[in-house]
Amino acid sequence: MQLRFLFPLVVTLIAAAYLAAPLMDRVTLRWFSRDLYSRGVLVTNALSDSVADAIATQRLKRLRPLFDRAVKDERLVAIGLCDTKDQFILGSGSFPTNLSCAAALEASRKPEPRLTLASGAVHVGVHDVMGRHVVTPAPAPAGDTEVVAVAEKVVEPDIGQDESASNVVVARLVLLHDLSFVDRRSQDTRRYLIGLIAALGLVIAFITVVVAQLSWRGWVNGARALMRGEGLLSPLLPSPELAPFASDLRARLRDLEDEYKRSQGPNTEWTAQRLRALLRTQLSGDQVIVVSNREPYIHEHGPDGVIVKRPASGLVTAVEPVMRACSGTWIAHGSGNADRDVVDSHDRVLVPPGHDDYRLRRVWMTPEEEQGYYYGFANEGMWPLCHVAHVRPVFRESDWEAYKLINQRFADAVVAEARSDDPVVLVQDYHFALLPAMIRKKLPQATILTFWHIPWPNPESFGICPWRREILEGMLGSTILGFHTRFHCKNFIETVDRYLEARIEHEHSTISFQERETLVESYPISIDWPGEAEVATWASVPECRRRVCERLGLPLDVCLAVGVDRFDYTKGILERLNAVERMLEKWPVWRGKFVLVQVAAPTRNSLDEYSSFQDRVARMTDRINGRFGKDNYKPIVLLAVHHEHDAVMELFRAADMCVVTSLHDGMNLVCKEFVAARDDLQGVLILSRFAGAAREMPEALIVNPYHVEETADALNQAATMQPAEQRERMASLRSTVQEFNVFRWAGHMLSDAGRWRLRARIEARVRSHHLD
């Protein structure tokens, strides 16, 4: 490839040198010709008085010594004297005898006044000698063969005539200058020119090679990133030059995907039944244990007895359908005030209520332990550390001790619930970074899948944590470590490379630490796509809109935007409100016609960062409503209460748009739930580029939530988008979310787990055979 760059460059430089050398020779000769002409004028002026006097006094003989002394100059070859009729009078001893005055005068009038003599090339210059005498030839005196006598005719000026008018041409001097020094200078100039071109060629070649190498590496890295899926599913390309290639590749992959689906038949979609079949075939019905801090069902005391709630958690939304398909055991913290009342003697209860698809094992902790483990280390330390949301993490020794204690308690619960020495354990999220290594210590043969639901920071940011080595060592107890995106995988591998002595195979994305190998892979999480039976229970879109507008006191023709989040500073709620305010400023027509319904489920209220953040959101809401509200109209409706799943789905179906402006999010399932709810193919999704889902959902309006103007423009674009465009975008989004559902996420993880278990068992048999 370098030769392809260098060969045309070398040919171009050679051609430039070939064409420039003669040109430089001609230019150099012209420069020196002008210089020699000027020099000849000076010599003529210096000799004119002597020549005029000699002519006036007819003492021409004394001119020859004068001429001979003059030609001792290194450049002046000869001097000749001619009369006004171009007849030769006399010259220096070196003046060529075969050069006539007429020939010299003719040569001097050429563009290049040059003659070639026996001694070499000379420059010819003919200059007029001014005086008061006109010279006419006369016979020489007898016996004087070297001096030519001239007759003198004095021209006297008239009385009152200007003195300058009496100066006339009395003779001409022919000056021959040596041009050999010009040839030498020309050769030197040619060498300098060739050297300069060669030096420039080397510099240009070096720069070309460096740029070519850097460009090639950038293209290769960009192509590899596309092969890994980075930038392939979204417009955020690693290299803008690869945009056409990415577009073609994206189209080709879709074609191949369609061909693959047609070749596989209609049963290629991931469902609960297919996941159960995978467990029976690849995992041979092995026990599946899920560990998370948040439980999927909370029992609380109500006015009419014990009630069951589902928490507002993306983790629960994603994992709970998998557990219903696997019929395993879910170990979680019992946080409800009636949780202890419904469990058996082993702290277990069957869920969901009325279906009993799997077993929920609850782990208890004191308020002090929860404060240190959950609110302290997990949410004041790890959560802000992993999210780039400009909140300082706080690490306390007491919180760390509580974190270790609770992780060990959950590890003991896993061991107690395991029916064999090699269960499949799914460890969920940042609350249990130490748990994999603790389980590995008690159950060495277990297959441990740890999924990190939040982003993973770069090594420099993670270095803030005082116990970074312990956390990394704990996570590397996993058989498989999953993240939402390849970018987070890359950050984790670089963090391990920075802080631990481990062998890393980047090609296979594996880390070998303390004689155990961990696969680090990306598994984009998703939702359980609603089935036909569930969809049949939904109210129609017009009915949902009527209910929502009636409940909130809104007109039916309002442009309704919704945001559904936990009340968390990483969700970009303040940025969302700023965008609404800017939209109403830029487009006053929306005042009174646009409403944002913001559902913000309270969370972690005991933490100062969260309570102060909630106060800021409330104050900003009041300010915007006070500025643009009138009568019964408020542009922002803040609902800071927990909403059940059915209420959220009703809100999604009633809305014209859903706004997701996360500042940093591992995936964000709200956007996928909104898409799943819109079976009418209407509605617009506005999605933050900093949410992992943006890579899978390019048909959404992708925004930078920090850019208020851009987000406000997206709100206006969504509000004015034609139904046909909405239908096209939503159909594509629904196809993506339906295919990449939660069962596919779990299926890919469990398939990888099955392969690793099979490999481990084969290796164990081989070792046993060698020992025998």
Side-chain angles (χ1 to χ4, degrees):
M1 186 188 70
Q2 294 178 6
L3 289 177
R4 290 201 299 268
F5 281 104
L6 295 178
F7 181 74
L9 176 63
V10 171
V11 171
T12 302
L13 292 176
I14 292 175
Y18 178 79
L19 295 175
L23 178 64
M24 287 300 297
D25 288 343
R26 288 195 294 271
V27 171
T28 302
L29 179 59
R30 290 179 182 176
W31 286 346
F32 280 111
S33 295
R34 286 194 295 268
D35 180 63
L36 292 176
Y37 180 82
S38 301
R39 184 184 177 87
V41 171
L42 292 176
V43 171
T44 301
N45 291 337
L47 298 178
S48 59
D49 290 342
S50 300
V51 171
D53 289 343
I55 293 175
T57 59
Q58 296 187 354
R59 297 176 181 176
L60 298 176
K61 185 176 181 180
R62 64 180 185 178
L63 290 178
R64 177 165 293 180
L66 179 63
F67 289 171
D68 289 337
R69 287 195 302 271
V71 298
K72 290 182 178 179
D73 182 87
E74 60 178 351
R75 297 185 183 178
L76 193 57
V77 175
I79 300 177
L81 181 63
C82 300
D83 62 11
T84 56
K85 296 181 180 180
D86 298 330
Q87 298 296 318
F88 182 77
I89 300 176
L90 62 82
S92 62
S94 56
F95 194 87
T97 57
N98 59 346
L99 179 61
S100 65
C101 292
L105 182 61
E106 181 181 358
S108 67
R109 292 173 178 173
K110 293 180 179 179
E112 295 183 3
R114 176 182 181 134
L115 288 176
T116 303
L117 305 178
S119 59
V122 294
H123 176 271
V124 181
V126 178
H127 305 275
D128 294 336
V129 178
M130 309 302 294
R132 297 176 180 234
H133 304 85
V134 177
V135 180
T136 56
D144 190 353
T145 59
E146 295 184 0
V147 179
V148 179
V150 295
E152 178 183 345
K153 179 181 179 182
V154 179
V155 181
E156 296 292 343
D158 296 335
I159 298 175
Q161 187 180 9
D162 190 12
E163 182 181 358
S164 61
S166 64
N167 289 335
V168 295
V169 177
V170 296
R172 291 188 177 93
L173 280 181
V174 178
L175 303 180
L176 303 181
H177 284 89
D178 184 16
L179 286 181
S180 62
F181 82 96
V182 176
D183 292 335
R184 289 194 299 271
R185 292 289 179 85
S186 180
Q187 292 175 2
D188 292 341
T189 303
R190 191 181 298 114
R191 284 195 294 268
Y192 293 149
L193 176 64
I194 295 174
L196 176 62
I197 293 177
L200 287 175
L202 291 175
V203 173
I204 295 173
F206 176 76
I207 295 175
T208 301
V209 170
V210 171
V211 171
Q213 285 290 336
L214 293 177
S215 301
W216 176 250
R217 290 179 182 178
W219 296 335
V220 169
N221 291 336
R224 287 178 176 173
L226 289 177
M227 294 298 103
R228 292 193 300 267
E230 299 175 11
L232 187 58
L233 296 175
S234 77
L236 309 177
L237 290 174
S239 177
E241 295 85 356
L242 295 175
F245 174 69
S247 178
D248 294 342
L249 181 60
R250 192 181 297 117
R252 181 55 182 157
L253 287 177
R254 286 177 181 151
D255 294 341
L256 292 175
E257 189 176 14
D258 293 340
E259 292 176 8
Y260 177 76
K261 288 180 180 179
R262 288 192 294 270
S263 66
Q264 295 296 313
N267 298 321
T268 58
E269 181 181 344
W270 277 95
T271 62
Q273 292 76 19
R274 184 176 178 185
L275 187 61
R276 292 192 191 99
L278 181 144
L279 291 171
R280 287 193 301 269
T281 56
Q282 296 199 24
L283 295 176
S284 304
D286 292 330
Q287 181 188 15
V288 176
I289 301 174
V290 169
V291 184
S292 71
N293 174 76
R294 195 179 300 273
E295 56 185 340
Y297 295 93
I298 302 173
H299 292 83
E300 292 188 347
H301 292 291
D304 301 322
V306 176
I307 60 175
V308 180
K309 291 183 177 181
R310 288 191 63 184
S313 169
L315 184 152
V316 171
T317 301
V319 179
E320 205 268 340
V322 177
M323 284 306 297
R324 298 181 68 172
C326 297
S327 301
T329 301
W330 190 320
I331 302 175
H333 169 220
S335 58
N337 54 31
D339 281 351
R340 290 180 184 269
D341 300 337
V342 298
V343 297
D344 61 15
S345 59
H346 298 287
D347 299 325
R348 301 170 183 150
V349 62
L350 294 176
V351 290
H355 296 278
D356 301 343
D357 289 331
Y358 61 94
R359 180 186 302 159
L360 174 60
R361 161 69 189 277
R362 283 170 170 151
V363 175
W364 316 109
M365 61 185 74
T366 66
E368 293 77 16
E369 291 171 342
E370 184 179 7
Q371 180 64 39
Y373 144 77
Y374 179 74
Y375 292 106
F377 191 82
N379 288 302
E380 285 189 290
M382 294 299 293
W383 178 268
L385 177 69
C386 293
H387 287 84
V388 182
H390 314 294
V391 173
R392 294 175 181 269
V394 178
F395 295 102
R396 305 181 188 89
E397 187 74 31
S398 59
D399 295 342
W400 170 245
E401 294 300 326
Y403 188 80
K404 290 193 297 181
L405 175 66
I406 298 303
N407 272 251
Q408 186 61 59
R409 187 173 300 171
F410 273 83
D412 296 339
V414 171
V415 174
E417 293 296 324
R419 297 192 298 266
S420 65
D421 62 350
D422 61 346
V424 177
V425 184
L426 279 69
V427 179
Q428 304 297 315
D429 227 353
Y430 62 100
H431 309 92
F432 300 110
L434 305 178
L435 187 59
M438 293 177 175
I439 297 175
R440 178 72 61 204
K441 186 176 181 180
K442 298 289 186 68
L443 299 172
Q445 303 305 316
T447 300
I448 304 171
L449 286 73
T450 300
F451 191 79
W452 199 262
H453 288 260
I454 62 177
W456 187 269
N458 58 51
E460 291 76 14
S461 298
F462 188 77
I464 296 173
C465 181
W467 301 283
R468 52 188 176 270
R469 290 183 58 88
E470 291 85 342
I471 290 174
L472 294 174
E473 290 173 2
M475 295 177 68
L476 289 178
S478 309
T479 308
I480 297 176
L481 181 56
F483 296 90
H484 287 297
T485 67
R486 288 298 309 171
F487 180 72
H488 298 154
C489 295
K490 178 174 176 287
N491 278 352
F492 179 80
I493 292 174
E494 290 178 352
T495 303
V496 172
D497 192 29
R498 175 76 61 89
Y499 298 113
L500 293 182
E501 293 294 332
R503 182 168 59 86
I504 299 174
E505 294 187 20
H506 293 278
E507 183 177 355
H508 300 97
S509 195
T510 58
I511 300 174
S512 298
F513 181 71
Q514 294 182 350
E515 300 182 355
R516 296 202 65 90
E517 198 171 49
T518 300
L519 172 66
V520 182
E521 191 55 86
S522 62
Y523 302 99
I525 203 168
S526 191
I527 63 171
D528 180 12
W529 185 258
E532 294 181 0
E534 181 181 353
V535 173
T537 64
W538 293 349
S540 66
V541 169
E543 177 61 19
C544 289
R545 188 173 183 87
R546 186 193 65 77
R547 292 177 186 176
V548 169
C549 291
E550 182 178 329
R551 185 170 65 251
L552 300 178
L554 303 175
L556 286 176
D557 61 346
V558 70
C559 181
L560 183 60
V562 299
V564 179
D565 307 274
R566 286 184 301 105
F567 225 141
D568 194 293
Y569 52 77
T570 65
K571 301 303 180 182
I573 299 176
L574 286 174
E575 286 71 17
R576 195 175 308 167
L577 300 183
N578 284 326
V580 170
E581 181 179 28
R582 181 58 182 148
M583 175 196 180
L584 298 177
E585 290 175 349
K586 290 183 69 174
W587 292 279
V589 67
W590 290 116
R591 299 176 187 179
K593 298 180 180 180
F594 177 90
V595 173
L596 168 67
V597 176
Q598 177 61 56
V599 175
T603 181
R604 305 164 188 167
N605 294 333
S606 62
L607 299 180
D608 292 339
E609 286 289 348
Y610 283 83
S611 59
S612 63
F613 172 73
Q614 293 172 16
D615 292 340
R616 289 175 60 195
V617 171
R619 289 196 301 270
M620 179 175 286
T621 299
D622 293 340
R623 181 179 62 78
I624 296 175
N625 285 339
R627 180 182 178 188
F628 297 104
K630 58 181 179 179
D631 300 331
N632 295 325
Y633 168 70
K634 292 182 179 180
I636 298 173
V637 177
L638 180 62
L639 304 176
V641 293
H642 173 73
H643 280 57
E644 292 296 334
H645 180 72
D646 292 341
V648 171
M649 294 299 287
E650 183 179 72
L651 192 59
F652 283 154
R653 290 175 65 77
D656 295 296
M657 69 186 77
C658 178
V659 188
V660 178
T661 52
S662 305
L663 304 182
H664 202 191
D665 223 336
M667 177 57 65
N668 192 292
L669 299 181
V670 170
C671 55
K672 297 188 176 184
E673 290 182 322
F674 172 73
V675 169
R678 299 315 299 254
D679 59 342
D680 62 334
L681 301 183
Q682 291 299 296
V684 181
L685 174 62
I686 299 175
L687 182 57
S688 166
R689 63 182 296 185
F690 303 118
R695 308 173 68 82
E696 300 180 11
M697 309 175 79
E699 296 83 3
L701 299 182
I702 307 297
V703 299
N704 177 358
Y706 293 100
H707 195 328
V708 176
E709 205 77 19
E710 179 179 292
T711 310
D713 292 344
L715 289 171
N716 181 69
Q717 181 182 354
T720 57
M721 187 177 293
Q722 295 299 313
E725 183 179 354
Q726 293 185 35
R727 188 178 303 109
E728 182 180 355
R729 289 174 179 265
M730 186 58 68
S732 180
L733 288 169
R734 285 176 60 83
S735 176
T736 299
V737 177
Q738 182 178 9
E739 180 180 357
F740 294 89
N741 57 34
V742 69
F743 298 112
R744 185 181 189 275
W745 167 76
H748 282 195
M749 277 201 304
L750 294 175
S751 296
D752 290 344
R755 286 192 292 269
W756 278 69
R757 285 169 71 85
L758 179 61
R759 189 183 75 171
R761 288 171 178 172
I762 293 174
E763 290 176 351
R765 290 174 184 171
V766 170
R767 287 194 299 268
S768 176
H769 175 73
H770 284 308
L771 291 176
D772 293 342

